[in-house]
Amino acid sequence: MGKYNKIPMKELTALLRENGFPETQSYIQSGNLLFANPYADEASAAARIKELILQQFGFHIPVMVYQAAYLQALLDNNPFITGDNLPEDKLYFIFTAEEADPDRIAFLQKTDFTPTRYTVAGRMIYLYCPEGYGTTKLNNNYFESKLKITATTRNLNTVRELIRLAGQH
């Protein structure tokens, strides 16, 4: 949810539980919720959650919904884990609401950001920040600005914990 328009997770969890998402639980104050999806697809659940947030809190925020199996597939396909075996505390996942335009990706790839590296794969940007996420130019805002997409970043530990909490190992 970012720096602005913060919603206390306790309040958001209660709101969802009262409105058709009975088993909702939050994962710390991170903007991550786990729930059994009562809708036919992720887009319908995301739309309903956005609507509830607007009604209750009065602002629009992006909402992305993913199944645990999808998160596991993203983890399993992270090229910095599977191929390069890089330090795990330097690995990040940038979830995007839509696929970025290939021309924008190609333009971005013309710039050398060494030692930071990234790979775009569909609606995922895998990011390796050897000097830490807090110091990299390639942060969430950068990708949103350059690729004209909505995105949110999570570290490897958060992704693993969400999978674990969802019962996926």
Side-chain angles (χ1 to χ4, degrees), residues 13 16-18 20-26 33-37:
T13 300
L16 268 60
R17 285 181 181 166
E18 295 164 4
F21 299 87
E23 298 176 22
T24 301
Q25 69 180 70
S26 66
L33 299 173
L34 293 107
F35 54 85
N37 187 354

Side-chain angles (χ1 to χ4, degrees), residues 27-41:
Y27 174 62
I28 60 177
Q29 184 69 28
S30 63
N32 295 301
L33 299 173
L34 293 107
F35 54 85
N37 187 354
Y39 294 89
D41 57 52

Side-chain angles (χ1 to χ4, degrees), residues 4 60 92 94 105 111 114 129 135 145 156 159-161:
Y4 306 101
H60 294 275
Y92 298 86
I94 301 177
I105 296 169
T111 304
T114 304
C129 303
T135 62
S145 170
L156 175 61
V159 172
R160 282 187 171 148
E161 185 62 9

Side-chain angles (χ1 to χ4, degrees), residues 77-96:
N77 291 308
N78 185 318
F80 301 126
I81 297 173
T82 59
D84 296 339
N85 199 28
L86 296 171
E88 293 188 350
D89 64 332
K90 307 296 184 188
L91 302 180
Y92 298 86
F93 294 75
I94 301 177
F95 296 86
T96 65

